[in-house]
Amino acid sequence: MQTRPPTKVATANMQASAMLKLTPESAPVILQPAKEKDGAERDLVGSVVRLLRSYYVDTVSKEKETEMARGAVRGMLESLDDPDTRFLEPAERKLIVDAGNGRFHGIGAIFALRREKVDKLDETKLVVVTPMPGSPAEKAGILPGDSVAFVDNKWIITHDPFKEPQFESMLKAMRNRDVDALAYQKAYEAAFKKLKDGMSIMDALESVTSKATGDLTIKVERAGEDKPIEIKLKCRDTFVDPIITKQTDRGVAYLRVTQFSRSAPASFAAAMKRAQSAQAKALILDLRNNPGGLLDSAAAIASSITGGGVIASIQTKNARKLLKEPVSKRLTIPVVVLINEGTASVAELVAGTLKESKAAVLFGSKTFGDGLLQTPLILKDGSAAVLTSGKMRTAKGVDFNGKGISPDREVKSGGIENDIQRDEAVKYLLAKLGKA
Amino acid sequence: MVNMRGRIRIAVAASMLIGSFLVGFVYRDLQAGAGRQVLSELKTMPADIATAAKEKVAQNSVELQPVETYSSVIAYVDSNYYGTKPKPKQLTYAAIRGMLATLGDRYTRFLDPVEHKEMSEENRGDFEGIGAELDTKDGRIFIKKTMADSPALRANLKSKDVILKVDDKMIQGMDITDVVKLIRGPRNTKVRLTIKREDTPQPFDVELTRDVIPFVMVESRMEDTVNKIGYVTLRQFTEKSDADVFMAIKELDAQGAKALIFDLRGNPGGLLDAAVSVGSRFVQDGDIVIIQNRGGQRSAIPIEPDKRDPIRRPVVVLIDRNTASAAEIVSGAIQDHKAGTLIGTESFGKGLVQTIINLDDGSAVAITTAKYLTPNGHEVTPTQKIKPDITVDPSDDDIKNENDVQLKRAVQYLQERLGVTQAKTNGEKS
């Protein structure tokens, strides 16, 4: 377990919750020996291990034991039935570390698992949080909120086919003997085949986020579309800088934060300095399609605009604490923050806190709505147990989890070619500066 | 320490396998009994596949110790997890399940105290309840049959009595399996049923004290009364199977049976000891099965001579795709020793033996400890199954029309063996 700085909420290891958002690693969390009270249960697990060593039909090798240990962690975390709490194999964790360093594989997007109830059916969907700038996903027109339904024509197992209403009613009819065995068997086989031919959601996630090269065909479901949309992509690695800037135009500086990585605050400060030299009198801070990142990085950047103070309120299992930054000079120029449904996690927090402190005006559309924090427990073999460890609220305590942050001014997206949201922000700021 | 208090029980586990529940399902529902295990198997199956699909190859050379890792993570979850606090033991059981899943052997599995109790009941061949078979029609759940010497019989419950309430809970619209769960419970506890009987105008309450009820695992009849061909079916190998099969055969003998059909279709297995005993009723000499444990050591289990049946008669064993494990041992032994003719389809193909070991808190683990081979040394695997001597595979129409072509073929075969004409009994029974 990590040691906590005494005066501040320990945020170094806290991550945004949407998947693949872990940033460069902090010091590995060190394993603690079990507490005394776990004795009996520990012995239960110990008994099973010893029985397997002595009696299992095949020899239990050291490698097998490592797999068993990972299986134990995976089992425990899955039993919590929380899509954000999960076990990461060493290879999976590497993808996340890479993503935190701005290196994306596969189609170059950030995903989240989202639980939904559709027609009484529990679905877990693989949802695109953000296509990264310049990635195959962005170029192919994948949008935040799209949910991946098929990968290379394989159905992603988003729900248990045996819980589909058709099958459930067949099962009930069978138990009450209103249908013959054959009809039931057919329904059973159909559901079984669907499951067998399907791809697990974790395998699907892996194939869209890890492939270095090659073609991939996916089908996505999109709000407002009746049928899944087929999209063909060429996978390749995408490198993304944490801060992307455009030349200051008529006194309006433009900074896009692609994610709150460890290096983001330094890049942000440097970009702000360049904007100042270019005589910037107003700022557009673009947090659209920003999936989040490190809470510390987000706090540092927010603080450089608000002039320090409370940035967030963090609720952990046993405590609720305020995340405070030292008082600094408040940014005095007008700021517009651009947000959309791809603005998630700590990016939403920043938007919400800037809005509350009146340090900025929000333009765009409502954010993703993910206010949960995760902490990874890194095991010595390179795997990790990622655990939902808390919830963040804005400085004034607004809970945006599941709700999102609404803009002050709703501006619809004009697509990649036509950035209406940005144009509106420019127009607004120029008016403020008296240059309309 | 390893807790091996209580006995170690060798069982060729009676797990209901994918697909095999169909047959098991129907009879289980009729019995106010074990529908639950079938259903829970059904529910756990998708997760099973998901786990299998997820399994990845270890690529890191650093080793982890299962117990140490478990302890660290559980302590970490305990002090840091923000979501709903897990129920006691939930994480420990899930850890054990997760650990066993990595072995890639679906038969090596953890049984929590409830599952363990259910499995013990099944292996013992009894359960705790009131001893009534329930059935359902037009959304009404009624008593189909009361079992001999059961609380249901003693309370004068009658066939066709409709159950309205269980312990004052309305059961209208409930699933029959859920009603069964309400009625079942530990012996010496009470349950009150509200009954509507056909000739009685007012519904009335009956209070019953639950008791230990044997599962009906064996059924027998004279299939061909003219030619005296007896029929015995065994649904699972429990501690009582051998005695029950023996009784059934003796009764048929008393009626002058000249040939026997032994039906092991849909039999998912059960206790190894029971398989050896039942096999000994059919095989005259030699071994029933060869057990090969870890390291490849083989030991043959011979017949139990005191169970040898002095009467020689033609025997047909019916097998199908759901004949598994202990049932494959018996059919394999009968085939290898030419003690009977196998008719039907290929068997399931499960040649593994599990040992069930009790753990401290009432839970247990079933661990695959050995493989078995038929007396002639044939392994039984998913690709090497027990093959019938005469293959008879029912068509979809046969299943739909409940036309038991395998049984008909068995009768016809035995009639030929007995040298009688078949015309008389072909088709509908008279």
Side-chain angles (χ1 to χ4, degrees):
Chain A
M1 252 156 283
Q2 73 220 44
T3 43
R4 300 177 169 210
T7 55
K8 204 175 145 191
V9 181
T11 55
N13 267 338
M14 285 183 166
Q15 320 281 350
S17 101
M19 270 186 169
L20 296 188
K21 268 186 291 173
L22 304 194
T23 17
E25 216 118 271
S26 39
V29 177
I30 293 153
L31 296 176
Q32 297 283 310
K35 284 182 232 154
E36 203 45 49
K37 70 174 172 104
D38 297 323
E41 295 195 14
R42 182 189 162 98
D43 201 50
L44 212 56
V45 177
S47 298
V48 173
V49 171
R50 279 184 288 272
L51 287 167
L52 288 172
R53 281 181 192 148
S54 316
Y55 298 107
Y56 189 61
V57 69
D58 296 325
T59 311
V60 179
S61 61
K62 285 283 169 214
E63 295 76 50
K64 201 82 210 165
E65 290 207 11
T66 299
E67 271 185 56
M68 279 162 52
R70 290 180 188 167
V73 180
R74 188 184 298 119
M76 281 191 273
L77 299 186
E78 279 177 2
S79 85
L80 294 170
D81 199 28
D82 166 359
D84 291 325
T85 291
R86 62 188 201 99
F87 177 71
L88 298 175
E89 299 280 347
E92 290 176 293
R93 194 176 126 247
K94 186 178 172 296
L95 291 178
I96 289 168
V97 173
D98 281 356
N101 288 325
R103 185 192 175 112
F104 296 85
H105 313 285
I107 70 169
I110 299 283
F111 292 88
L113 298 188
R114 186 186 273 165
R115 294 269 170 96
E116 286 173 8
K117 250 200 159 58
V118 181
D119 299 334
K120 291 185 185 169
L121 199 61
D122 287 317
E123 297 242 26
T124 304
K125 290 189 166 174
L126 182 59
V127 180
V128 175
V129 177
T130 309
M132 296 315 287
S135 67
E138 192 196 55
K139 287 188 177 148
I142 289 174
L143 299 179
D146 285 356
S147 77
V148 185
F150 291 86
V151 173
D152 284 339
N153 275 325
K154 279 194 169 174
W155 177 64
I156 299 176
I157 305 169
T158 54
H159 62 258
D160 179 353
F162 289 95
K163 297 220 170 90
E164 285 176 15
Q166 306 91 292
F167 186 79
E168 289 252 297
S169 59
M170 184 62 89
L171 182 63
K172 189 164 181 198
M174 173 67 186
R175 272 185 224 160
N176 295 339
R177 295 205 263 131
D178 295 335
V179 287
D180 61 67
L182 191 66
Y184 178 76
Q185 193 175 2
K186 290 258 153 78
Y188 180 87
E189 278 165 7
F192 185 69
K193 188 174 183 324
K194 189 169 180 182
L195 193 67
K196 205 178 88 212
D197 295 347
M199 185 187 242
S200 82
I201 206 152
M202 290 303 165
D203 286 346
L205 178 66
E206 189 183 306
S207 67
V208 292
T209 56
S210 68
K211 233 173 149 178
T213 55
D215 294 331
L216 205 62
T217 304
I218 64 172
K219 280 185 195 160
V220 300
E221 287 168 358
R222 183 173 294 169
E225 301 279 345
D226 294 343
K227 282 190 182 152
I229 306 160
E230 187 174 284
I231 298 172
K232 287 192 193 323
L233 303 116
K234 272 206 183 334
C235 294
R236 59 170 173 75
D237 284 0
T238 308
F239 293 91
V240 182
D241 288 326
I243 309 290
I244 297 172
T245 57
K246 284 194 163 80
Q247 201 163 9
T248 301
D249 176 25
R250 289 170 284 171
V252 179
Y254 172 91
L255 266 76
R256 175 174 178 188
V257 186
T258 58
Q259 60 171 336
F260 292 97
S261 61
R262 191 166 300 285
S263 63
S267 302
F268 182 82
M272 285 300 284
K273 211 162 219 171
R274 283 198 302 277
Q276 264 162 3
S277 330
Q279 307 299 316
K281 296 279 184 296
L283 170 67
I284 294 174
L285 179 64
D286 191 349
L287 296 182
R288 290 175 299 175
N289 295 349
N290 179 328
L294 284 179
L295 182 54
D296 274 352
S297 298
I301 288 174
S303 169
S304 68
I305 297 170
T306 62
V310 178
I311 303 298
S313 153
I314 304 296
Q315 176 81 55
T316 57
K317 188 171 177 240
N318 301 312
R320 184 163 178 175
K321 287 184 187 168
L322 296 176
L323 174 59
K324 277 186 194 156
E325 288 287 313
V327 175
S328 57
K329 206 167 149 263
R330 185 178 165 108
L331 198 65
T332 48
I333 59 174
V335 181
V336 169
V337 175
L338 298 179
I339 54 171
N340 68 358
E341 44 295 322
T343 305
S345 181
V346 293
E348 298 176 80
L349 175 76
V350 170
T353 293
L354 292 182
K355 178 184 177 181
E356 277 172 5
S357 64
K358 307 223 183 314
V361 179
L362 309 186
F363 275 43
S365 49
K366 198 159 93 174
T367 62
F368 191 79
D370 173 8
L372 296 174
L373 286 163
Q374 277 75 45
T375 306
L377 169 71
I378 295 149
L379 305 179
K380 61 184 177 190
D381 68 330
S383 60
V386 181
L387 213 64
T388 300
S389 54
K391 189 189 232 184
M392 53 189 164
R393 293 181 171 85
T394 64
K396 292 199 170 151
V398 173
D399 178 3
F400 56 90
N401 189 42
K403 303 179 194 100
I405 299 279
S406 295
D408 296 299
R409 188 186 293 183
E410 177 87 33
V411 185
K412 291 234 159 25
S413 163
I416 298 176
E417 304 299 314
N418 189 12
D419 195 345
I420 302 169
Q421 291 167 328
R422 182 165 173 264
D423 294 348
E424 281 292 306
V426 171
K427 214 189 281 175
Y428 168 86
L429 289 170
L430 288 177
K432 272 238 151 185
L433 298 176
K435 289 185 185 175
Chain B
M1 45 130 265
V2 178
N3 171 27
M4 292 175 56
R5 254 188 270 141
R7 63 207 166 118
I8 292 184
R9 174 123 129 206
I10 303 278
V12 180
S15 69
M16 300 303 297
L17 305 158
I18 295 172
S20 78
F21 74 94
L22 236 187
V23 179
F25 189 77
V26 176
Y27 91 81
R28 277 149 186 275
D29 261 359
L30 300 182
Q31 222 152 319
R36 171 139 186 203
Q37 195 199 353
V38 186
L39 295 172
S40 66
E41 276 288 334
L42 182 63
K43 283 196 180 115
T44 58
M45 195 207 47
D48 219 34
I49 288 176
T51 312
K54 234 182 281 170
E55 204 169 315
K56 294 197 182 78
V57 183
Q59 50 169 30
N60 221 302
S61 57
V62 182
E63 288 158 8
L64 289 181
Q65 266 77 49
V67 181
E68 180 198 290
T69 308
Y70 153 81
S71 302
S72 312
V73 173
I74 200 168
Y76 187 73
V77 170
D78 194 44
S79 48
N80 291 292
Y81 183 56
Y82 177 71
T84 317
K85 193 179 165 64
K87 292 188 203 94
K89 296 237 166 117
Q90 175 191 326
L91 290 173
T92 301
Y93 289 173
I96 296 173
R97 290 206 164 96
M99 210 163 71
L100 297 180
T102 64
L103 295 171
D105 163 14
R106 55 175 292 131
Y107 306 110
T108 294
R109 64 202 191 284
F110 177 73
L111 303 164
D112 66 30
V114 174
E115 291 161 340
H116 184 208
K117 181 165 184 280
E118 281 173 359
M119 179 169 230
S120 307
E121 284 180 340
E122 269 197 34
N123 287 340
R124 215 169 52 221
D126 57 37
F127 66 97
E128 292 170 345
I130 64 164
E133 289 182 16
L134 303 189
D135 201 352
T136 171
K137 205 180 172 190
D138 305 328
R140 285 145 76 95
I141 290 171
F142 60 90
I143 290 177
K144 192 183 178 206
K145 204 170 122 186
T146 53
M147 294 156 145
D149 193 31
S150 67
L153 184 73
R154 289 195 290 272
N156 265 324
L157 289 181
K158 294 197 164 32
S159 161
K160 290 187 188 156
D161 278 356
V162 175
I163 301 173
L164 300 177
K165 293 184 197 169
V166 178
D167 285 332
D168 287 329
K169 186 178 162 58
M170 290 288 293
I171 59 158
Q172 180 86 35
M174 276 176 69
D175 238 50
I176 188 165
T177 44
D178 294 329
V179 175
V180 166
K181 271 185 222 163
L182 285 179
I183 297 177
R184 281 186 69 178
R187 65 175 303 189
N188 291 330
T189 57
K190 290 186 193 319
V191 58
R192 191 163 69 246
L193 304 184
T194 306
I195 298 289
K196 173 77 184 78
R197 187 166 291 165
E198 222 166 16
D199 318 326
T200 318
Q202 288 300 317
F204 57 92
D205 281 6
V206 180
E207 194 175 74
L208 302 103
T209 304
R210 297 179 180 108
D211 203 348
V212 175
I213 311 293
F215 283 120
V216 179
M217 290 294 184
V218 174
E219 265 177 33
S220 63
R221 61 177 179 261
M222 196 59 85
E223 180 66 24
D224 178 341
T225 47
V226 178
N227 301 305
K228 303 287 181 201
I229 297 172
Y231 170 92
V232 178
T233 180
L234 176 64
R235 285 160 176 152
Q236 199 163 311
F237 287 85
T238 71
E239 289 172 15
K240 295 198 176 69
S241 295
D242 178 52
D244 289 352
V245 168
F246 178 68
M247 281 295 293
I249 294 175
K250 285 305 113 194
E251 272 171 35
L252 290 169
D253 278 348
Q255 296 169 44
K258 291 191 187 123
L260 194 62
I261 297 165
F262 188 38
D263 191 350
L264 291 177
R265 291 178 296 176
N267 185 320
L271 299 175
L272 177 59
D273 294 350
V276 172
S277 301
V278 170
S280 304
R281 303 279 173 200
F282 294 92
V283 173
Q284 293 291 318
D285 270 307
D287 303 326
I288 297 294
V289 66
I290 298 163
I291 304 294
Q292 177 178 318
N293 59 17
R294 160 179 191 156
Q297 270 182 317
R298 290 182 180 189
S299 53
I301 304 182
I303 66 154
E304 296 167 15
D306 58 313
K307 304 222 156 104
R308 191 185 283 135
D309 190 342
I311 304 172
R312 296 296 207 92
R313 57 171 93 71
V315 171
V316 165
V317 180
L318 293 177
I319 60 169
D320 68 6
R321 292 178 187 88
N322 299 318
T323 300
S325 167
E328 288 177 298
I329 289 181
V330 172
S331 32
I334 291 174
Q335 187 172 49
D336 280 6
H337 289 290
K338 298 193 171 26
T341 305
L342 271 47
I343 293 180
T345 55
E346 275 192 337
S347 66
F348 185 83
K350 188 204 163 199
L352 300 171
V353 179
Q354 277 76 47
T355 304
I356 296 166
I357 300 158
N358 299 338
L359 299 172
D360 267 339
D361 70 334
S363 60
V365 269
I367 295 178
T368 299
T369 48
K371 293 174 184 170
Y372 71 79
L373 300 89
T374 68
N376 287 355
H378 295 300
E379 272 194 59
V380 179
T381 68
T383 53
Q384 278 174 274
K385 306 170 180 194
I386 304 286
K387 290 189 176 55
D389 299 305
I390 301 170
T391 299
V392 180
D393 200 354
S395 66
D396 280 1
D397 276 349
D398 290 332
I399 296 169
K400 200 170 175 144
N401 302 326
E402 293 180 19
N403 180 19
D404 194 344
V405 285
Q406 291 166 331
L407 178 59
K408 282 182 182 164
R409 185 69 184 86
V411 172
Q412 185 201 345
Y413 173 84
L414 289 172
Q415 286 167 343
E416 284 164 9
R417 282 285 301 272
L418 294 172
V420 296
T421 53
Q422 47 178 285
K424 274 181 202 165
T425 53
N426 221 356
E428 289 301 305
K429 269 185 278 171
S430 52

